[in-house]
Amino acid sequence: MESETQLLTTAEAVQKSGATILRGGAFKPRTSPYEFQGLGARGLKLLAKARRETGLSIITELLSEEHAELVAEYTDIIQIGTRNAQNFQLLIAAAKTGKPVLLKRGLSMKIEEWLLAGEYVLAHGNRNLMFCERGIRTFETYTRNTLDLSTIPIIKQESHLPIVIDPSQGAGRADLVVAMCKGAVAMGADALLIEVHPNPAEAWSDGAQQVTLEGFARLMDELKPFIAAAGRE
Ligand code: PEP
Ligand code: MN
């Protein structure tokens, strides 16, 4: 999230294309402290406005325990990002808000460690947990990360919980997002988390991996036969 106009334009467009949940980063975990850190509390208010105007549910990242109550006040789902996937006190704080939690896989996290991180949420009385594969760090640099789609059948075997695929962080390249989404849907992913921007070339964060509003509409259309083939709606 960069501004009210950028958020609302994006929210309205993705809602029209069939998205059901809006993910916007208010507190952003940036690699460099000199990069845009997000709009913070003001961003949460913008998300609430986008929900009012579009009917979309909201998901946003919780970066710090001290913000747990504030974030939970605004959001429908809490995202725990890759850098905090084993920040157990943060996981507990997220669990205790009672909001559903989307747990991203850590950059170098083994699946077993990821499942156990998820147990922190479950063990603290919150049964509404989703796993999100967003790519792991390997020797490969052609893509930003290596999107591990084997997590789809594995999470289904090892748990009863939904598995969400984030091809945007996974590939780091907008031109690969459509193919990765098709593969994920065909393999039974329960949801996709896709970064969208009205003007990716000018995005304040991760521009290379964001699809345009038109690109997102096309993608949603192209996914239809794959969704049907997977026996899903
Ligand atoms: C994001 O989804 O924008 C993000 C920061 O994700 P991750 O934690 O997977 O890097
Ligand atoms: Mn991002």
Side-chain angles (χ1 to χ4, degrees):
M1 270 185 288
E2 299 165 4
S3 69
E4 178 165 346
T5 315
Q6 177 251 2
L7 179 70
L8 294 179
T9 309
T10 308
E12 279 162 28
V14 298
Q15 192 270 340
K16 284 203 183 83
S17 301
T20 51
I21 307 175
L22 179 69
R23 206 291 307 271
F27 296 97
K28 298 280 300 162
R30 303 309 302 283
T31 300
S32 162
Y34 308 114
E35 286 174 343
F36 175 55
Q37 305 286 306
L39 299 173
R42 191 163 77 81
L44 297 175
K45 294 199 174 78
L46 293 181
L47 282 174
K49 183 164 185 186
R51 173 173 48 202
R52 275 199 308 278
E53 295 201 354
T54 62
L56 291 166
S57 298
I58 298 299
I59 174 166
T60 197
E61 179 160 352
L62 176 65
L63 262 190
S64 146
E65 283 164 67
E66 64 184 300
H67 295 144
E69 264 176 51
L70 173 70
V71 169
E73 206 178 296
Y74 287 93
T75 199
D76 299 301
I77 306 171
I78 291 176
Q79 171 174 326
I80 300 291
T82 198
R83 294 160 184 83
N84 278 312
Q86 282 181 303
N87 181 340
F88 301 124
Q89 294 309 314
L90 184 65
L91 287 170
I92 293 168
K96 285 187 172 165
T97 65
K99 295 284 176 175
V101 175
L102 176 138
L103 174 59
K104 290 214 174 187
R105 183 177 180 183
L107 269 173
S108 301
M109 210 179 193
K110 295 170 71 175
I111 290 170
E112 187 173 352
E113 294 167 331
W114 190 23
L115 288 164
L116 286 169
E119 290 290 335
Y120 272 89
V121 175
L122 302 174
H124 284 83
N126 190 332
R127 301 168 62 86
N128 295 318
L129 174 66
M130 301 171 246
F131 288 102
C132 177
E133 163 66 37
R134 48 78 71 205
I136 49 175
R137 187 164 285 181
T138 67
F139 55 83
E140 183 57 76
T141 51
Y142 201 82
T143 48
R144 181 176 183 182
N145 292 294
T146 298
L147 188 67
D148 182 3
L149 292 181
S150 73
T151 52
I152 298 168
I154 292 170
I155 291 295
K156 289 193 176 294
Q157 272 168 34
E158 298 296 333
S159 80
H160 59 290
L161 299 163
I163 171 77
V164 180
I165 297 294
D166 173 353
S168 308
Q169 301 294 144
R173 290 173 43 171
D175 61 334
L176 299 181
V177 165
V178 175
M180 302 313 258
C181 285
K182 288 177 179 170
V185 168
M187 288 180 69
D190 296 297
L192 299 166
L193 196 169
I194 300 163
E195 296 199 349
V196 185
H197 195 284
N199 184 1
E202 307 247 299
W204 296 359
S205 164
D206 294 347
Q209 69 195 32
Q210 310 213 27
V211 298
T212 60
L213 307 180
E214 301 74 27
F216 182 75
R218 248 188 339 266
L219 162 64
M220 290 293 272
D221 214 43
E222 283 184 40
L223 282 179
K224 282 180 187 152
F226 291 84
I227 294 168
R232 307 289 289 268
E233 285 176 19

